[in-house]
Amino acid sequence: MSAKRYYYEPADGHGLPHDPLNAIIGPRPIGWISSYDQQGNRNLAPYSFFNCFNYRPPIIGFASSGWKDSVQNIVETKEFVWNLATRELAEQMNETSASIPRGEDEFVRAGLIAVVGQKVKASLVAESPVNFECRLSQCIQLTTADGAAIDSWLVLGEVVAVHIDESLLKDGIYQTALAKPVLRAGGPSAYYTIDESHRFDLTRPDAR
């Protein structure tokens, strides 16, 4: 441990130009979530608190700070689609983060093609090389350690269908770096992607 360490307690503020939490827990995969409301209006929005939480059945989830349109839509319709955000789609993904009136179509705003799913009615981003069709499993309001409710919501969905561009499969193995996924990093504007040159392999002790 270094002799000098910056220390703070989050309840009292971090005292830095930008909250370091988002930079420390990062880079993070992006939850580029498409949904629709009960009137059939499409919605598409990126969430930087996103990940996979279970293998079988596969369950993915994202957290929303506030009750956003995505959460409302998914609670109403019980389904959504996750779309892989890639370097080629980064600018369009960012465009879908704009605060626009409920009911306006982010697919149209960002110039993206919407394709209805095979198992769900939510639309896939056709330009994205990977899409997960999901059905809602849980929507959980987060709480503090002492049980106080927070205006943040964790949406979990079971993946019921997967679409993968076959160019990303080599001998049947998905090539993570080849897709050039966009990952959220610290600060208000930082993103990263990955490169095969940064790969290293470790074998778990139990598998040796």
Side-chain angles (χ1 to χ4, degrees):
M1 183 178 292
S2 64
K4 188 174 182 180
R5 295 167 69 89
Y6 188 82
Y7 173 86
Y8 70 93
E9 297 179 11
D12 300 325
H14 50 76
L16 298 170
H18 190 272
D19 192 335
L21 179 69
N22 293 355
I24 295 168
I25 309 298
R28 302 181 307 284
I30 294 171
W32 202 13
I33 306 298
S34 48
S35 62
Y36 65 98
D37 64 20
Q38 290 181 319
Q39 288 71 48
N41 298 307
R42 293 187 300 246
N43 182 270
L44 179 62
Y47 291 86
S48 66
F49 292 132
F50 165 83
N51 223 304
C52 180
F53 297 98
N54 198 58
Y55 274 124
R56 296 181 182 84
I59 294 176
I60 64 171
F62 69 95
S64 173
S65 298
W67 188 268
K68 304 284 179 61
D69 288 348
S70 298
V71 180
Q72 178 70 32
N73 292 348
I74 293 166
V75 168
E76 288 178 355
T77 65
K78 312 300 182 189
E79 58 186 44
F80 64 94
V81 173
W82 171 78
N83 308 277
L84 179 66
T86 65
R87 183 63 190 90
E88 289 182 351
L89 295 171
E91 283 72 22
Q92 288 165 293
M93 177 275 297
N94 186 55
E95 192 65 28
T96 65
S97 70
S99 298
I100 61 177
R102 180 172 173 81
E104 287 196 19
D105 194 334
E106 286 87 357
F107 280 89
V108 173
R109 178 184 176 88
L112 296 165
I113 298 171
V115 178
V116 177
Q118 296 292 313
K119 302 287 287 186
V120 303
K121 294 180 182 178
S123 295
L124 290 64
V125 174
E127 293 86 348
S128 175
V130 183
N131 319 88
F132 292 170
E133 299 183 34
C134 302
R135 293 201 176 112
L136 175 66
S137 57
Q138 292 173 277
C139 180
I140 304 166
Q141 184 173 17
L142 301 185
T143 69
T144 63
D146 62 10
I150 302 170
D151 188 23
S152 289
W153 305 83
L154 175 62
V155 177
L156 298 170
E158 178 181 347
V159 180
V160 296
V162 177
H163 305 254
I164 303 173
D165 188 314
E166 291 187 1
S167 68
L168 300 179
L169 299 173
K170 302 299 181 185
D171 299 322
I173 305 298
Y174 180 78
Q175 304 297 304
T176 303
L178 191 59
K180 297 182 180 178
V182 171
L183 308 168
R184 191 71 172 91
S189 62
Y191 290 84
Y192 286 96
T193 187
I194 60 175
D195 186 273
E196 189 66 25
S197 65
H198 296 135
R199 172 180 167 173
F200 65 95
D201 292 86
L202 295 174
T203 302
R204 294 183 181 182
D206 292 345
R208 291 173 187 164

